[in-house]
């Protein structure tokens, strides 16, 4: 998964895989899609109005946040000459959650982004992923603290021990790429486990 010209045109790929990036408001979903996409990502960000600020309260996130996703973000990553990932970033605000069930349809896996300052904001995403039976990994975006151990995060989110948990920086291409690699490896391991159960 490298930047630049894709190794294969999407129409020629044997596998087109849909991945969704979910999480609470302001955890870095749009930033991650932008940092890792090999194409100019499509986004539906709008400047936050005074009415929107009253509903979404950006002060809980960062004073610099001035825009918000109102539908979804979209990017593409070529894995190899056979597979292309289509990456969708879900809107984090509660008033747009009605879009999630449709956005999650056909998804093979998800990345749940978490802000360690606001761990409870991940609960809705966890509920939707588990409701749809979508395998996922958890990526803690680096906002500079507070520090939590992996065990503390797992306990706070009631994570299954088999769900991978990692830290990353959504602004960094390589860091975001490693998150997607971890998800693909997790999905592969799950498929092997299912094959073993059939034998």
């Amino acid at each position: 998964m490298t930047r630049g010209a894709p190794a294969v045109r999407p129409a020629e790929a044997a596998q087109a895989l849909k991945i969704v990036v979910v999480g609470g408001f302001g955890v870095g979903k749009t930033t991650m899609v932008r940092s890792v996409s090999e194409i100019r990502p499509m986004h539906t960000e709008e400047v936050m109005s005074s009415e929107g600020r009253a509903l979404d309260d950006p002060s809980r996130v960062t004073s610099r946040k001035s825009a918000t996703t109102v539908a979804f973000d979209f990017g593409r990553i070529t894995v190899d000459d056979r597979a292309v990932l289509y990456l969708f970033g879900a809107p984090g605000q509660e008033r747009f959650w009605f879009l999630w069930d449709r956005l999650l349809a056909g998804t093979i896996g998800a990345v749940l982004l978490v802000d360690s300052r606001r761990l409870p904001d991940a609960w809705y995403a966890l509920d939707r992923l588990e409701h749809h039976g979508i395998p996922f990994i958890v990526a803690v975006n680096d906002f500079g603290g507070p520090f939590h151990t992996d065990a503390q995060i797992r306990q706070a989110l009631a994570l299954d021990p088999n769900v991978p948990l990692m830290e990353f920086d959504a602004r960094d291409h390589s860091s975001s790429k490693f998150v997607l690699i971890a998800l693909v490896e997790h999905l592969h391991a799950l498929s092997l486990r299912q094959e073993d159960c059939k034998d």
Side-chain angles (χ1 to χ4, degrees):
M1 293 191 291
T2 58
R3 282 195 183 272
V8 60
R9 291 196 298 264
E12 298 172 346
Q15 289 183 300
L17 310 172
K18 180 181 178 183
I19 302 294
V20 175
V21 181
V22 297
F25 174 55
V27 294
K29 300 177 295 295
T30 297
T31 302
M32 179 182 177
V33 172
R34 282 181 178 160
S35 74
V36 79
S37 179
E38 68 192 16
I39 61 171
R40 177 179 293 178
M42 185 191 87
H43 62 87
T44 57
E45 275 200 317
E46 296 293 339
V47 175
M48 295 183 71
S49 64
S50 57
E51 292 84 0
R53 287 179 176 279
L55 289 170
D56 300 325
D57 189 12
S59 65
R60 297 186 321 118
V61 183
T62 173
S63 60
R64 296 185 305 273
K65 188 167 180 64
S66 60
T68 187
T69 300
V70 297
F72 61 87
D73 305 299
F74 173 77
R76 187 185 76 212
I77 303 101
T78 300
V79 178
D80 54 31
D81 60 358
R82 292 182 50 80
V84 172
L85 296 183
Y86 290 109
L87 194 61
F88 292 81
Q93 312 92 306
E94 185 174 351
R95 59 196 166 110
F96 297 125
W97 284 352
F98 70 91
L99 297 168
W100 281 38
D101 286 336
R102 184 162 290 184
L103 195 58
L104 290 171
T107 299
I108 64 158
V111 177
L112 170 57
L113 294 196
V114 172
D115 179 346
S116 62
R117 301 169 300 177
R118 300 176 290 121
L119 292 175
D121 287 2
W123 277 107
Y124 180 77
L126 279 168
D127 176 74
R128 291 294 83 200
L129 293 173
E130 291 173 355
H131 173 78
H132 287 277
I134 297 171
F136 64 94
I137 67 170
V138 175
V140 182
N141 197 5
D142 181 13
F143 286 98
F147 174 76
H148 297 291
T149 65
D150 286 1
Q152 289 171 326
I153 294 171
R154 286 187 178 281
Q155 182 177 15
L157 300 179
L159 287 182
D160 185 284
N162 294 317
V163 174
L165 172 66
M166 59 193 305
E167 293 184 13
F168 88 121
D169 184 340
R171 301 165 297 182
D172 182 74
H173 170 73
S174 295
S175 189
S176 294
K177 179 180 73 172
F178 287 130
V179 168
L180 294 177
I181 290 171
L183 175 60
V184 171
E185 289 175 345
H186 178 56
L187 295 174
H188 181 64
L190 289 176
S191 68
L192 291 178
R193 229 174 284 159
Q194 289 172 353
E195 288 298 319
D196 288 343
C197 290
K198 291 177 184 176
D199 294 340

